[in-house]
Amino acid sequence: QVRLVESGGGLVQAGGSLRLSCAASRLTFSNYASGWFRQAPGKEREFVAAISRSVSNTYNANSVKGRFTISRDNAKNTVYLQMNSLKPEDTAVYYCAAGFYEHSDDYHQYVYWGQGTQVTVSS
């Protein structure tokens, strides 16, 4: 079965950085559209960033443009989310996902999901 596992979350101070990782088993990321979503308590799941099979093609939500970068390492079959200049409003559980629609910001179009990793940004 396909399995996606996120790691790298934690507690950081505002202005700090984290790099989230998403490792896959029985799925090759280079053959899928990949994305990151987040969900804060009491809020809907929110699109963060996506990357196509072409590494140069990425798409970020307006809320994270200039601060977050999605990337992929094909040799490690891992997708990353580099998060810089973190703000308290970035606090959420972050999920990685894979699907068939390039640069989709609709979570319904992603088929495979990880279990999430908690990111907490203190003020």
Side-chain angles (χ1 to χ4, degrees), residues 108-123:
H108 292 101
Q109 298 189 86
Y110 290 84
V111 177
Y112 305 108
W113 291 85
Q115 296 302 305
T117 185
Q118 176 71 47
V119 172
T120 302
V121 184
S122 61
S123 60

Side-chain angles (χ1 to χ4, degrees), residues 3-24:
R3 185 166 65 97
L4 307 182
V5 180
E6 302 97 337
S7 62
L11 173 64
V12 299
Q13 199 170 41
S17 298
L18 285 173
R19 187 177 74 160
L20 306 183
S21 299
C22 180

Side-chain angles (χ1 to χ4, degrees), residues 58-79:
T58 61
Y59 176 68
N60 295 332
N62 289 334
S63 60
V64 305
K65 283 184 177 179
R67 300 189 298 120
F68 291 10
T69 303
I70 186 171
S71 63
R72 183 180 66 242
D73 186 331
N74 291 337
K76 297 181 179 179
N77 197 31
T78 300
V79 172

